[in-house]
Amino acid sequence: MINTNRRPVAFFDSGVGGLTVFEKAKKLLPNENYLYFGDTKNMPYGEKSEEQLVEFADRIFRFFEEKNAKAVVMACNTTSAITYDKLKNKYNFKIYPIIQNVCSTIAKMENIKSICVIATPATVNSHAYKNEIEKYNRNINVFELAAPNWVRIVEEHRINQPQSIMQVQEVLEAAQSFSPDKIILACTHYPYLMDVLKKFVQEDKFIDPSVYFAENIKNDFVKSGLVNDKFEYEKFYVSSNPENFKTASEFFYKSDTLPELIEL
Ligand code: DGL
């Protein structure tokens, strides 16, 4: 009998950001087979229109469908905010969108009266975090702030350059002006900046949603009977510049092989 749980779990993002989710999920679900697609040709997603983002995500979903994925993890806040509602009923696999998945967990955290969400321009303009958190808790004040350059800083490995540090500091000062109890790193690329972020704000003030996302995915896999019992492969794909992806990814997930370049 064919074991359908052997089918891969597929992750995607505009680049290396989704690896912050991937590496945590892999620790919790070590026996899964994995696919990861970094849409580096179309990065940064946060500056794209709704129409473009839906087209990118739809193409990636079709690719995963061909690969017989059992579940797709939208390890990208921007696509979760903009495309999930449009695509959620179009495919047969289970889809996990980061924002819709983690906000109920965040909204139930104790002693939080105000939160600042730092995200890409597209995520901020969608108000997806504010709307989702308010669904579960109307007593939290949610402020939203765009950090347009942060994704490029990570993808172009400029994390420790003086200009990057200044750009991080500027956004954090704006965030601190709201005096929030917590700051959500609402783009999967941002945890790569933690060494710089914690120069300006105490580390425990940041919420990295990927921690809760990976746990929720694991719990749902167990509940839904999707857990595999034997790891066989993991495979990485990018839509441009495999070398760059490998260098940028080292910080979160070291892989010996170059990702495969594919045109979708
Ligand atoms: N890492 C993605 C996110 O979580 C996309 C960043 C981008 O390409 O702008 O929003």
Side-chain angles (χ1 to χ4, degrees):
M1 203 172 74
I2 296 167
N3 181 348
T4 55
N5 283 355
R6 295 260 154 96
R7 292 180 301 153
V9 186
F11 284 65
F12 79 97
D13 183 40
S14 64
V16 293
L19 291 172
T20 57
V21 181
F22 173 76
E23 62 95 23
K24 293 180 186 71
K26 196 176 150 93
K27 278 192 191 126
L28 297 175
L29 292 163
N31 295 327
E32 299 304 320
N33 294 313
Y34 287 105
L35 306 176
Y36 184 100
F37 184 81
D39 194 6
T40 44
K41 192 174 102 187
N42 296 311
M43 187 278 300
Y45 274 1
E47 294 168 25
K48 300 293 186 300
S49 67
E50 176 178 321
E51 201 187 346
Q52 287 173 306
L53 290 168
V54 171
E55 196 189 312
F56 301 152
D58 202 20
R59 265 191 240 154
I60 296 167
F61 281 148
R62 275 204 299 273
F63 172 67
F64 288 153
E65 191 174 49
E66 282 162 24
K67 297 277 177 200
N68 205 15
K70 66 177 173 185
V72 171
V73 176
M74 300 177 87
C76 170
N77 291 268
T78 309
T79 38
S80 303
I82 312 293
T83 73
Y84 175 63
D85 281 343
K86 303 239 156 24
L87 298 173
K88 64 183 177 194
N89 296 322
K90 203 173 158 183
Y91 293 89
N92 280 329
F93 38 65
K94 196 149 192 180
I95 301 175
Y96 295 90
I98 183 165
I99 300 178
Q100 295 81 348
N101 186 287
V102 298
C103 280
S104 62
T105 311
I106 293 172
K108 286 174 205 145
M109 287 176 174
E110 280 172 15
N111 302 324
I112 299 182
K113 301 237 167 336
S114 64
I115 282 184
C116 181
V117 177
I118 302 183
T120 65
T123 301
V124 166
N125 292 336
S126 75
H127 304 297
Y129 267 92
K130 191 173 168 56
N131 294 338
E132 284 293 319
I133 290 172
E134 285 176 356
K135 248 194 224 171
Y136 301 100
N137 187 344
R138 295 214 132 260
N139 298 319
I140 300 183
N141 243 332
V142 182
F143 305 99
E144 296 162 300
L145 210 56
N149 296 312
W150 289 14
V151 170
R152 284 187 209 272
I153 292 174
V154 172
E155 290 284 341
E156 293 165 9
H157 4 107
R158 292 189 281 109
I159 295 176
N160 289 308
Q161 290 182 9
Q163 208 203 348
S164 311
I165 296 173
M166 239 170 57
Q167 287 172 339
V168 168
Q169 184 179 11
E170 262 171 37
V171 178
L172 286 181
E173 274 172 12
Q176 290 286 58
S177 72
F178 299 120
S179 305
D181 296 319
K182 293 281 179 193
I183 295 175
I184 303 182
L185 299 175
C187 166
T188 51
H189 281 77
Y190 299 169
Y192 281 83
L193 296 166
M194 189 49 88
D195 280 347
V196 180
L197 295 167
K198 69 185 189 200
K199 285 192 210 294
F200 303 106
V201 175
Q202 229 176 283
E203 192 170 357
D204 64 4
K205 198 170 219 179
F206 294 107
I207 293 178
D208 173 359
S210 68
V211 175
Y212 309 103
F213 192 29
E215 274 168 18
N216 290 346
I217 293 169
K218 189 220 158 155
N219 292 339
D220 194 70
F221 263 45
V222 173
K223 206 174 78 192
S224 315
L226 281 175
V227 180
N228 190 21
D229 56 4
K230 187 169 174 257
F231 171 77
E232 287 157 314
Y233 62 90
E234 61 182 18
K235 186 112 186 60
F236 295 88
Y237 304 88
V238 287
S239 51
S240 76
N241 212 337
E243 286 287 351
N244 190 61
F245 181 89
K246 189 161 183 288
T247 314
S249 69
E250 301 267 292
F251 190 77
F252 263 94
Y253 196 75
K254 276 197 201 324
S255 157
D256 297 335
T257 49
L258 273 184
E260 186 180 327
L261 178 65
I262 50 160
E263 287 279 335
L264 292 187

